[in-house]
Amino acid sequence: NAGVTQTPKFQVLKTGQSMTLQCAQDMNHNSMYWYRQDPGMGLRLIYYSASEGTTDKGEVPNGYNVSRLNKREFSLRLESAAPSQTSVYFCASTMEEWVHEQYFGPGTRLTVT
Amino acid sequence: QKEVEQDPGPLSVPEGAIVSLNCTYSNSAFQYFMWYRQYSRKGPELLMYTYSSGNKEDGRFTAQVDKSSKYISLFIRDSQPSDSATYLCAMSPNTGGFKTIFGAGTRLFVKA
């Protein structure tokens, strides 16, 4: 089992460019999450998907969109990147939305100049 | 004031020492308490998971929850250089994992 995988590992964007971060899990989990991690701050939830076909905003959704493509895949899109979106992005999954143990991917390091 | 407070460290200890990592919180609704370990440039991995108050032990690791003081701890016995990482506390209410709040993490260095 690969667990949770994320692509790309690194990305540099110019302000105003768009990109999509990809996430896939092979654990047959129903719920998936996107977080950002910034120095001195805990992981902050951007969006989550409790189950296939549903998505909901988290704590910091502005400037992002998500798509739950199928049960395995959950993508995060930045339509017009801003320097404030420079961060490390983590995808995570849980068996069900009420389950608290999360499994994380390796992260995508994004720099917006 | 943050809902979850965690000393960022760094904490440097010699190999074999007992390490104590702590978090305080303000939301009395938190019922689930987790500790994640994050190696440099990797994703967090779940280390310990407890529900409500009490202790839980797993090998060299012990998690303690004191809900009356809103204080949780992770103890590492016989610390090893391989324990060098950032430790994140996390906690959530009964409503689900999407309500999980993470601490900013404590960096730990174990010197050989």
Side-chain angles (χ1 to χ4, degrees), chain A residues 37 40 97 100 102 104 109, chain B residues 2 32 36 38 41 92-93 97:
Chain A
Q37 186 176 43
E97 64 178 305
H100 299 265
Q102 299 190 30
F104 285 84
R109 291 183 170 269
Chain B
K2 294 179 183 177
Y32 294 85
Y36 287 83
Q38 185 175 22
R41 297 186 174 256
S92 55

Side-chain angles (χ1 to χ4, degrees), chain B residues 45-101:
Chain B
E45 57 177 328
L46 184 66
L47 199 57
M48 299 285 285
Y49 166 75
T50 54
Y51 173 72
S52 194
S53 283
N55 292 2
K56 184 173 183 178
E57 189 173 318
D58 183 2
R60 296 185 295 113
F61 298 89
T62 299
Q64 280 187 356
V65 174
D66 182 349
K67 291 184 70 181
S68 62
S69 301
K70 295 189 177 68
Y71 189 87
I72 70 170
S73 301
L74 177 70
F75 297 96
I76 307 174
R77 291 184 299 280
D78 188 24
S79 56
Q80 303 295 310
S82 58
D83 295 326
S84 298
T86 297
Y87 290 81
L88 312 174
C89 64
M91 44 200 82
S92 55
N94 279 330
T95 45
F98 60 92
K99 288 290 192 183
T100 300
I101 304 296

Side-chain angles (χ1 to χ4, degrees), chain A residues 36-44 60 84-89, chain B residues 104:
Chain A
R36 59 178 291 171
Q37 186 176 43
D38 301 293
M41 305 186 75
L43 290 157
R44 292 183 292 167
V60 289
S84 61
Q85 293 178 306
T86 292
S87 188
V88 182
Y89 291 85

Side-chain angles (χ1 to χ4, degrees), chain A residues 29-102:
Chain A
H29 285 177
N30 282 309
S31 302
M32 299 183 73
Y33 310 81
W34 276 106
Y35 291 92
R36 59 178 291 171
Q37 186 176 43
D38 301 293
M41 305 186 75
L43 290 157
R44 292 183 292 167
L45 184 64
I46 304 170
Y47 270 93
Y48 68 98
S49 171
S51 60
E52 187 178 354
T54 69
T55 60
D56 283 289
K57 295 178 181 179
E59 181 187 353
V60 289
N62 291 348
Y64 306 95
N65 284 302
V66 291
S67 294
R68 183 73 183 267
L69 305 169
N70 48 56
K71 188 172 183 178
R72 290 185 65 247
E73 299 172 288
F74 189 36
S75 63
L76 178 71
R77 182 160 178 84
L78 286 71
E79 290 291 352
S80 179
S84 61
Q85 293 178 306
T86 292
S87 188
V88 182
Y89 291 85
F90 289 100
C91 178
S93 69
T94 58
M95 180 71 73
E96 302 288 352
E97 64 178 305
W98 56 83
V99 173
H100 299 265
E101 305 124 299
Q102 299 190 30

